[in-house]
Amino acid sequence: MNHLLGQRAQDRLKQLAECSASEFGVTRLPFTKEHHKANALLKGWMEEAGLTVHVDDAGTLIGRYDAGDNAPTLLMGSHQDSVKQGGSYDGIMGIVLPIIALDALNRQGGKLPYSVEILAFADEEGVRFPTALVGPRALAGTLDERVIDRKDKNGITLRHALKDFGVNPDNIGLLKRDASKILGFIETHIEQGPVLEHEDVPLGVVSAISGIERHQLTFTGQAAHAGTVPMHLRKDALTAAAEVIQEAEKLAIKIPDLLATVGQLDVTPNVVNAIPGNVSMSIELRSPIDEVREKAGEILQVFARDTALLRGLDCDIKRTYSQSATECDHSLQLAITRAIVATQCRVHQLPSGATHDASAMSDLTGVAMLFVRCKKGISHNPAEYASDEDMGLAIDALISLLINIRS
Ligand code: HGY
Ligand code: MN
Ligand code: MN
């Protein structure tokens, strides 16, 4: 195991963690000054590794090793952005490790019979804008360009943010790649869960990636004095929301392969002595089986509307986002499996409950993922951690994969 390369990865991820809008944890949203700072570091390391670097019109930073016009291209990479006060590894590790692997090959004078591109996607988390995966969807030709005019909380459109970032979103439709020239997309990512640690293995190969959908609900009742309105005369938006939250949890407990989360809840007027008149909330559903997820979404929409009706409230509910489940490409999984074996590690195959850029890239080409052990399974949290040793093994596996994937 190449401890030195693992240490280099750890050091680079520490530098990237400084590109953050928050002191506590990492907050690096797309098309911000923190994104610019991170891209500058990544660009420098890509050029050191002998790659030619550019930013495409979806804001994806791309480092390319060119093996000549007729050679196919292997795509690698992940996302540079984080959640708010997140960890130092989610996404960005999948950019740093392949750069170090290609740099090591370059220093050994290794020549590959195919080109490689390392993609640093701008926005996978969908925290700043009510959309995500614009970069991979542009490459796959599946982007609904209407999302470019969606706004962040400050009323800035993604279109404006892209232009401000120095790219031209009007050309985003030209980014679609020719799938016949692509070998596949391999994403390296911290597991974000406890399975590899529980299995006591440093690396894993992903079998499938869960699908996801998000609904935005707004209950509108009547804000009123908490001391003067009898219980049966209230139009309390928060107690209605509470019923839906309970129902979502009950459904997910009852149905195997379904996860339901209410992560966002805004109450108005949100004061101790007023009955809440307005509540907006998110419901997120995940499942490796699309039919299960979609049915659950339908059930919860009906339940929310019925709850509002019975309580004399208005209810607006719409599905704002969805991503299908993804089966990972078997030949690419085999290539990752062989690479893990080459590092003398036991192979563990597992599904991914988290979604990834690979989910969207699967509309362009076969995809597979190399997972790296995550300490205590903690992620989307400043305590997120991957060890030098495990990252060193992941880099060794990537070097082996790059050398052998076409043999
Ligand atoms: O939410 C997810 O699964 C990913 O981290 N964006
Ligand atoms: Mn994430
Ligand atoms: Mn991620």
Side-chain angles (χ1 to χ4, degrees):
M1 175 271 299
N2 205 319
H3 200 108
L4 197 65
L5 296 183
Q7 281 173 334
R8 180 177 301 161
Q10 199 70 270
D11 169 59
R12 290 183 175 181
L13 287 164
K14 275 201 183 72
Q15 290 181 59
L16 286 160
E18 297 303 310
C19 307
S20 167
S22 62
E23 290 290 312
F24 179 69
V26 178
T27 303
R28 187 170 53 246
L29 303 187
F31 315 118
T32 58
K33 60 181 184 318
E34 294 77 30
H35 183 184
H36 271 299
K37 274 172 70 182
N39 269 11
L41 286 171
L42 292 169
K43 180 173 182 291
W45 296 325
M46 285 177 168
E47 287 167 343
E48 239 176 63
L51 307 182
T52 50
V53 184
H54 78 284
V55 181
D56 78 10
D57 284 322
T60 303
L61 178 75
I62 300 176
R64 179 174 173 85
Y65 164 86
D66 198 66
D69 291 348
N70 301 324
T73 299
L74 176 68
L75 302 176
M76 306 178 92
S78 189
H79 59 97
Q80 70 78 35
D81 66 316
S82 70
V83 293
K84 285 182 183 166
Q85 299 184 344
S88 308
Y89 303 82
D90 177 2
I92 197 85
M93 173 204 268
I95 303 163
V96 167
L97 269 54
I99 294 174
I100 295 174
L102 268 181
D103 185 22
L105 271 177
N106 189 31
R107 290 169 195 268
Q108 293 161 13
K111 294 278 176 248
L112 297 173
Y114 57 90
S115 300
V116 181
E117 287 186 16
I118 299 177
L119 308 168
F121 291 118
D123 182 3
E124 186 274 340
E125 299 288 2
V127 167
R128 179 178 175 189
F129 295 97
T131 183
L133 301 172
V134 169
R137 285 183 165 154
L139 298 181
T142 55
L143 179 68
D144 175 345
E145 292 196 35
R146 288 174 297 177
V147 302
I148 300 174
D149 291 307
R150 288 194 181 172
K151 294 179 181 167
D152 68 7
K153 281 200 166 41
N154 302 318
I156 298 171
T157 63
L158 175 51
R159 187 180 301 278
H160 178 87
L162 281 160
K163 287 182 175 164
D164 199 37
F165 195 66
V167 297
N168 180 2
D170 301 337
N171 293 337
I172 216 163
L174 306 176
L175 294 177
K176 180 174 168 26
R177 293 297 181 92
D178 175 356
S180 69
K181 294 189 175 131
I182 306 289
L183 281 177
F185 175 70
I186 291 192
E187 183 168 3
T188 305
H189 204 287
I190 189 166
E191 179 204 338
Q192 297 184 289
V195 173
L196 294 180
E197 186 172 70
H198 177 75
E199 292 292 332
D200 193 21
V201 287
L203 306 176
V205 56
V206 173
S207 53
I209 304 169
S210 272
I212 185 173
E213 67 182 58
R214 291 176 182 143
H215 298 252
Q216 196 61 35
L217 282 85
T218 304
F219 284 109
T220 307
Q222 177 64 58
H225 195 298
T228 57
V229 183
M231 294 308 285
H232 67 287
L233 295 179
R234 295 181 172 206
K235 293 192 175 199
D236 184 333
L238 186 53
T239 48
E243 275 199 66
V244 175
I245 294 169
Q246 290 283 342
E247 185 62 18
E249 185 185 50
K250 270 192 282 184
L251 205 57
I253 290 169
K254 202 164 50 182
I255 300 174
D257 284 327
L258 179 70
L259 296 177
T261 309
V262 174
Q264 201 179 29
L265 183 74
D266 296 311
V267 180
T268 308
N270 202 28
V271 293
V272 289
N273 56 356
I275 301 165
N278 186 290
V279 165
S280 79
M281 58 184 263
S282 63
I283 298 184
E284 183 189 272
L285 302 169
R286 296 184 188 227
S287 173
I289 307 161
D290 288 339
E291 296 73 19
V292 166
R293 169 177 55 78
E294 287 162 353
K295 189 69 192 150
E298 288 162 20
I299 292 168
L300 286 171
Q301 288 219 358
V302 169
F303 182 87
R305 289 199 176 93
D306 287 353
T307 302
L309 201 61
L310 289 170
R311 289 169 170 266
L313 307 180
D314 287 331
C315 171
D316 175 56
I317 177 168
K318 52 178 173 298
R319 192 171 84 163
T320 54
Y321 186 75
S322 74
Q323 219 173 288
S324 303
T326 301
E327 180 76 23
C328 290
D329 178 277
H330 290 186
S331 59
L332 292 177
Q333 282 193 60
L334 187 58
I336 291 178
T337 301
R338 284 201 182 112
I340 295 175
V341 168
T343 64
Q344 319 293 320
C345 292
R346 181 162 50 88
V347 182
H348 185 78
Q349 186 190 45
L350 69 166
S352 172
T355 60
H356 300 282
D357 293 296
S359 312
M361 289 297 281
S362 65
D363 291 324
L364 170 64
T365 184
V367 301
M369 294 190 75
L370 171 66
F371 264 1
V372 181
R373 176 165 41 190
C374 176
K375 187 175 177 188
K376 294 194 183 122
I378 295 173
S379 181
H380 282 191
N381 179 315
E384 184 184 69
Y385 180 76
S387 70
D388 304 15
E389 294 75 17
D390 289 355
M391 290 198 284
L393 285 166
I395 294 166
D396 286 347
L398 289 174
I399 292 170
S400 168
L401 181 138
L402 286 164
I403 294 168
N404 299 307
I405 194 167
R406 293 221 69 196
S407 52

